Amino acid sequence: MDIKLDPSRDDLPLMANTSHILVKHYVLDLDVDFESQIIEGTIVLFFEPGDRFEKQSGSTKDTCRSESNEACSFRMPAPCQSPVTDTRTFSSKTGYNDFAICGKGEKDTSGKDGNHDNPEQASGISSSKYRCDTGNHGSEDFLLVLDCCDLSVLKVEEVDVAAVPGIDKFTRSPKLTVVSEELRNQIVHELVTLPAGRWREQLDYYAGCSQAPGCGELLFDTDTWSLQIRKTGAQTATDFPHAIRIWYSTKPQGRSVTWTSDQSGRPCVYTMGSPINNRALFPCQEPPVAMSTWQATVRAAASFVVLMSGENSAKPTQLREGCASWHYYVTMPMPASTFTIAVGSWTEMKPEPCLLKDLAAERALSPSEADFRYVGVCGHMEYPCRFQNPSATAQEIVPHRVFAPVCLQGACQETLLQLVPPCLSAAHAILGTHPFSRLDILIVPANFPSLGMASPHIIFLSQSVLTGASHLCGTRLCHEIAHAWFGLAIGARDWTEEWLSEGFATHLEDVFWAEAQQLAPHEAQEQQELKACLRWCRLQDEVRNSPEEMQVLRPNKEKTGHVSDSGSSVIKHGLNPEKVFMQVHYLKGYFLLRFLAQRLGDDTYFAFLRKFVHTFHGQLILSQDFLQMLLENIPEENRLELSMENIFRDWLESSGIPQPLQRERQAGAECGLARQVSAEVEKWIRVNRRPRKRKRREAEEVFEKLLPDQLVLLLEHLLEQKTLNPRTLQSLERTYHLPQQDAEVRHRWCELIVKHRYTRAYKDVERFLQEDQAMGVYLYGELMLSEDPRQQQVARQCFELTKEQMERSSAEVVAEMLF
């Protein structure tokens, strides 16, 4: 490869040579073993060489390195077709699908022909010789490079797709009568380019091909970040086998897979997808341009539930000896990094009968929603697209399920279950067609390192969102639902432009949540202004306490989206453990979008956003794709100094606070909800100043009831006070029932406890560090900085109790603070 990685840096390499060959479909056939903490089995990859795409839509390299405003997508000549999607698993009419669901070939671990995971025994591939850019090398063999880390690769073989019954329908040339590499590759080409209307047939044949016999082992080698495969005599990507099978197993400490226990103490496993995405779950092409579909059969003990990124609501097939098999598939091509899986003793949570009434009722379309009913051909590669399906376009609430450990059933009933329908309906009201046909929501174990994560058809939520009232749960659910459009249906072509996902989701969570609560316009505006006030404080704090180079939203500047000739690249700071905890790309992205919405007006801005979603769904974008389309939709006389250059300079390519945001915050008046908080702060300051023994005639302060975000702001203001006495803290705790509030409020309460060494409430800090690991890392630092022996003991004891289960990046950061 032409990427030279400096091991002293914290950059993440994407090694796959996607400019030469692309995975179009994965078929996974896996067993989950909780005793050994290993997932093992096979993955079959179906390829198309890059030169085919060069003929259809220009050079892959040129398309993906272009600084033009055309989104990176490989367009097919046929228009987007849209059958009504059937959510059943595919039928077994061709006779070989039973093998796809239940069958499992024998693993050959003998390592014959020199195919070894051990570099010292490897097959003779010279790492130096074959680490060059591999397109066509004359006498050298073509080298397939896949992203791979923390995996044991046992064998790689070519798949004899020509042996599948009925596959001869794909052999159109009369000259190809003898089974050959050319014939097999032609079959795969015909299969991967089937029109969208034949998606079910395509899945059937993929399943059949995945169970076909091997027809020759391939040479391979592994290093830290990649799996390299070649076939002797195959000198170009076109000559290389278009269907290969890899036998492999994960490792217990693999960085893509988290083995842990759920809140009921039962074993479970889930994939986090960060920071190295899925390369320790299966060998894949990680660069986002390698958009593919997938299907997977996963076997586990019958007592476990398997959830996955799949558009079918999978049900288990019972196998012998207490084993069950689950099958999922997707038909919308997406980057491999979006794939996720979770296996555990989850229970499906269903709402009480009294909550079901009216939840699924559809609202009449308002005139403002009419402008997302576009007609025409989609701009993405062909797949069964919901945006072209009238019934999908009108569907406000997609089918959904909620899963959690049974011990959290009460909390799910009280908060989450009743929020899902109005939040889904609100998202539809704002953006239109849901990109995905169904949704599972899983409450993940306590060690999950963030409040939520969205993947196709599935959302992970932290248990922390279930405490307190519905506010935190609702806003976080809205944030993750927003990712269906921004982050999944529309992805960033360059992973350093995270603001295109997180900035949009942060901005839209407020809008969705206001719609879900059916707030009056003035109420919605007040709550959003309050949220902006909180985020402004957070952004200032983040900018003060983080390295400047990590505050830039577009660190590659004019080289954003550029890759090497092979398609490989390096993601700046991708392995820096501190980056996981930074919010700059969320906050600066949010403020940029808020700035643009204010300049255009909400009606114009959201009408544009619906148009943008319709134009770019199913594609990968760079910042300029969004900004240029936005500017084109603003009359020139109304642009008021808005330009691509100014936005890049002020918002995306500079560290620190953007100048337009500085000017806005300095000139802006405090919103009504924030003024109310300021008045309450003054009351608490007076209470804190009073002597221990008050005069009898001195009136008690009367405190107003505050919203959760107001409570957060109140506590942040009180954190600025040099001293708060124990009586004041005790009164605060009682007045607002702080230990029972949501996790955002309790986090600030814990900060106050630590700052003022309020020993009687240390139990609240201990509880937070153990039960709210998604948010607790910062508190460890505060406890240690205090240099108070008792507080440091609290930190070390809590870490000792949780370190074995704690997510790896979090554990590394905390250990560095403590020792």
Side-chain angles (χ1 to χ4, degrees), residues 291-425:
M291 296 204 289
S292 59
T293 51
W294 57 75
Q295 63 198 96
T297 298
V298 180
R299 285 170 296 276
S303 59
F304 291 98
V305 173
V306 177
L307 302 177
M308 209 183 85
S309 305
E311 59 198 64
N312 59 311
S313 296
K315 302 294 182 184
T317 300
Q318 296 301 319
L319 304 177
R320 59 190 177 279
E321 298 176 0
C323 180
S325 172
W326 300 71
H327 183 82
Y328 288 91
Y329 63 82
V330 298
T331 59
M332 175 182 172
M334 284 167 288
S337 60
T338 64
F339 178 101
T340 198
I341 188 170
V343 185
S345 299
W346 323 123
T347 300
E348 184 174 357
M349 304 292 169
K350 296 185 179 180
E352 298 288 349
C354 60
L355 296 176
L356 292 173
K357 61 180 182 179
D358 300 328
L359 286 183
E362 292 190 356
R363 303 176 197 168
L365 288 175
S366 65
S368 65
E369 292 173 303
D371 57 359
F372 59 70
R373 300 304 187 86
Y374 292 92
V375 178
V377 176
C378 297
H380 52 69
M381 66 181 81
E382 193 179 4
Y383 65 84
C385 178
R386 287 174 55 80
F387 285 78
Q388 292 291 322
N389 183 332
S391 61
T393 300
Q395 189 178 31
E396 288 189 22
I397 302 169
V398 295
H400 53 274
R401 305 181 298 183
V402 174
F403 291 87
V406 69
C407 64
L408 294 178
Q409 183 168 357
C412 286
Q413 294 280 3
E414 289 174 20
T415 53
L416 178 58
L417 284 171
Q418 54 194 313
L419 291 174
V420 179
C423 289
L424 286 171
S425 182

Side-chain angles (χ1 to χ4, degrees), residues 24-26 80-88 90 192 194-204 206 291-295 309-312 328-334 380-386 435-437 456-457 618:
K24 303 305 292 178
H25 189 77
Y26 298 94
C80 176
Q81 300 181 25
S82 53
V84 177
T85 302
D86 184 342
T87 58
R88 295 170 299 171
F90 57 82
V192 301
L194 277 178
R198 297 171 67 183
W199 64 270
R200 184 173 296 282
E201 177 188 12
Q202 186 181 46
L203 285 176
D204 285 346
Y206 278 138
M291 296 204 289
S292 59
T293 51
W294 57 75
Q295 63 198 96
S309 305
E311 59 198 64
N312 59 311
Y328 288 91
Y329 63 82
V330 298
T331 59
M332 175 182 172
M334 284 167 288
H380 52 69
M381 66 181 81
E382 193 179 4
Y383 65 84
C385 178
R386 287 174 55 80
F436 301 101
S437 59
H457 308 282

Side-chain angles (χ1 to χ4, degrees), residues 228-246:
Q228 304 143 35
I229 303 168
R230 69 177 174 93
K231 178 177 181 177
T232 303
Q235 295 181 10
T236 68
T238 303
D239 301 330
F240 189 80
H242 289 13
I244 67 170
R245 180 184 293 113
I246 301 170

